[in-house]
Amino acid sequence: MLRLAVAAMVALSAVASPAVASAPAGRVADDAYGALGANFNENIDDLDYGELQEARAGWVRGFFPMPAVNQGDPAQHVAIRTLNEASGRGYRTILSLKFPYNKASFPAPGSAKLAAELARLDKVLPTVMGKADILVIGNEPFIESLPAERDQRLNTFYETVARHVIDYRRERCGADCRTTLYMGALNRLDLPDRRTPAAERWMTFVRQTPEIEGVDIHPHVPTVESTQLFLDYILARMRTDQTFLATEFSLVHHWKKHLKDPVAATFAQKYGFAPGTQVWQVIKAAADEPFSQAKWNDFLASSPWFTSRSGFLGNQMRMFRGTGRLAVATYGFKQDDAMVKDFGPTKDPWLLNSVYASHTVKPRPSGLSAPSPWLKSFQALQPSTR
């Protein structure tokens, strides 16, 4: 069944991978292997079923910030409520549990602070276990932590949380529990200084824990080739029956290098921008007052730094699928408020990744967000049956 599922995933357009190795015999649902879904991060309230249908997406991903438990019933939090609703509509779902310790130390083993964190977890797990298809333990631990504590303290905390989740699933959801578990997510493995002893121990825990299906990665990279360094690192350190997620990936570091480039003279002249106007200034103008679809398309089409990477989504998925070990990847689906707020020459241009240009382009008469150039690639990378 798994090999047939992988074969089905590559029966796509030429944008997709021409061949994929057979998937390992894991416990993730057969139709997960090689999937490309929609990532919303914390902005799951922006989910629009018409846009998901247009994009032919079958998977949806968001994350839940654990401190939100202190603000009310987790089941009513927008992330969990929306993902559970999407599941009820037939979509497959991924929820990442976010533990933000970038402004405070990890709780010490046996401490009251750790007990309180696990008590919060016990309020969340009943709302998602057996409902989400995939639960990722952690969001970006090596970013959401104090730099000085990205060592064994990080490992001890996340291993404790993982064992707690594993015990809960075994005791409350049973051997045939729908929800599979991954550890996530690792960032910037293309940089040698990120392959630390703590990252090595992270992968050792993943490999040695039978209940963990694999690891999540977030390859936000300057080049497609940089992603290979992520794959080389994790695949060599997992069991052969394990798979990986890529719930975030992008060329954001490439886009950022070009924010101070001058825009094309032809574009500037056509739309009334002064000669020498820089890329970031045009993006800010669109953020302040959304462009027409034609104007935004002309801006991107006149930008060699963008058009030269127009095959990114297909190339990246070809690399992921070519391993035969990809469970699910999810790609940034819509621009959000944080992406456009105070846009300037040093801001990370996440908005250039999105499948829908919901903040830089006026919505369509139908009410659906304007598509970005990534929409056609995203559609082409879906199974032909969807």
Side-chain angles (χ1 to χ4, degrees):
M1 286 295 293
L2 295 177
R3 288 175 173 80
L4 292 174
V6 174
M9 288 304 303
V10 297
L12 307 172
S13 74
V15 180
S17 175
V20 173
S22 297
R27 290 163 291 249
V28 182
D30 287 5
D31 60 353
Y33 285 102
L36 174 63
N39 175 41
F40 290 89
N41 280 346
E42 72 272 31
N43 295 292
I44 196 74
D45 54 329
D46 285 341
L47 184 151
D48 182 288
Y49 290 105
E51 291 163 3
L52 287 177
Q53 184 175 15
E54 179 180 52
R56 305 172 194 158
W59 283 80
V60 178
R61 183 256 179 177
F63 66 65
F64 176 79
M66 290 300 295
V69 174
N70 297 336
Q71 300 165 10
D73 181 4
Q76 298 307 313
H77 187 276
V78 63
I80 293 173
R81 187 181 72 246
T82 305
L83 284 175
N84 284 346
E85 177 187 296
S87 179
R89 289 173 175 247
Y91 289 88
R92 310 299 295 278
T93 62
I94 303 172
L95 178 67
S96 299
L97 300 179
K98 179 185 177 82
F99 297 88
Y101 276 97
N102 54 316
K103 295 182 180 179
S105 291
F106 287 115
S111 67
K113 187 177 179 182
L114 179 60
E117 187 70 83
L118 297 180
R120 281 190 287 270
L121 191 57
D122 283 338
K123 293 181 180 179
V124 173
L125 293 176
T127 71
V128 299
M129 194 65 71
K131 299 175 184 178
D133 292 281
I134 294 174
L135 185 65
V136 185
I137 301 165
N139 180 52
E140 293 181 333
F142 287 87
I143 292 176
E144 295 157 358
S145 55
L146 296 173
E149 294 190 2
R150 293 167 190 169
D151 52 23
Q152 72 277 4
R153 287 168 287 187
L154 180 151
N155 297 114
T156 298
F157 173 75
Y158 278 95
E159 289 168 16
T160 300
V161 169
R163 291 190 182 99
H164 194 84
V165 174
I166 290 167
D167 289 344
Y168 182 95
R169 187 181 64 163
R170 182 183 62 252
E171 295 167 6
R172 306 290 182 87
C173 202
D176 59 348
C177 186
R178 166 182 176 173
T179 303
T180 55
L181 306 178
Y182 285 77
M183 298 294 291
L186 298 179
N187 299 81
R188 295 316 307 263
L189 291 174
D190 53 314
L191 302 177
D193 65 357
R194 302 298 178 92
R195 296 175 227 144
T196 63
E200 190 71 35
R201 175 169 163 176
W202 185 275
M203 292 305 305
T204 298
F205 179 78
V206 168
R207 182 176 65 253
Q208 294 181 350
T209 307
E211 298 86 354
I212 298 297
E213 299 295 323
V215 69
D216 188 8
I217 56 173
H218 287 178
H220 296 297
V221 290
T223 68
V224 173
E225 293 75 18
S226 300
T227 298
Q228 189 62 51
L229 298 173
F230 279 76
L231 299 177
D232 291 345
Y233 186 87
I234 64 167
L235 293 177
R237 290 164 174 79
M238 293 198 299
R239 302 188 310 268
T240 57
D241 67 321
Q242 289 180 308
T243 55
F244 70 93
L245 306 173
T247 56
E248 296 183 26
F249 61 99
S250 78
L251 279 177
V252 68
H253 298 296
H254 170 74
W255 310 140
K256 191 171 184 177
K257 289 191 302 184
H258 294 279
L259 288 181
K260 295 182 182 179
D261 289 2
V263 297
T266 52
F267 173 83
Q269 183 177 20
K270 181 176 180 179
Y271 290 103
F273 287 95
T277 296
Q278 296 181 357
V279 166
W280 74 267
Q281 293 173 307
V282 173
I283 296 174
K284 178 172 170 51
D288 292 343
E289 186 173 344
F291 288 1
S292 68
Q293 182 79 74
K295 185 175 180 179
W296 183 250
N297 288 351
D298 284 351
F299 163 58
L300 295 177
S302 67
S303 303
W305 52 267
F306 188 85
T307 58
S308 65
R309 302 297 187 272
S310 62
F312 165 71
L313 197 51
N315 292 336
Q316 192 72 98
M317 287 301 296
R318 183 177 300 113
M319 183 178 292
F320 290 153
R321 289 172 173 169
T323 66
R325 304 281 293 280
L326 172 67
V328 186
T330 58
Y331 187 67
F333 207 63
K334 293 177 74 169
Q335 297 170 347
D336 61 48
D337 292 342
M339 293 178 187
V340 298
K341 183 180 180 181
D342 300 324
F343 198 89
T346 62
K347 189 176 179 73
D348 290 333
W350 300 106
L351 59 84
L352 292 172
N353 300 325
S354 305
V355 174
Y356 284 93
S358 51
H359 281 59
T360 57
V361 182
K362 297 174 183 177
R364 288 175 279 178
S366 65
L368 296 182
S369 299
S372 81
W374 302 118
L375 177 60
K376 290 185 178 180
S377 294
F378 190 96
Q379 291 169 328
L381 288 159
Q382 300 304 317
S384 57
T385 55
R386 177 164 288 281

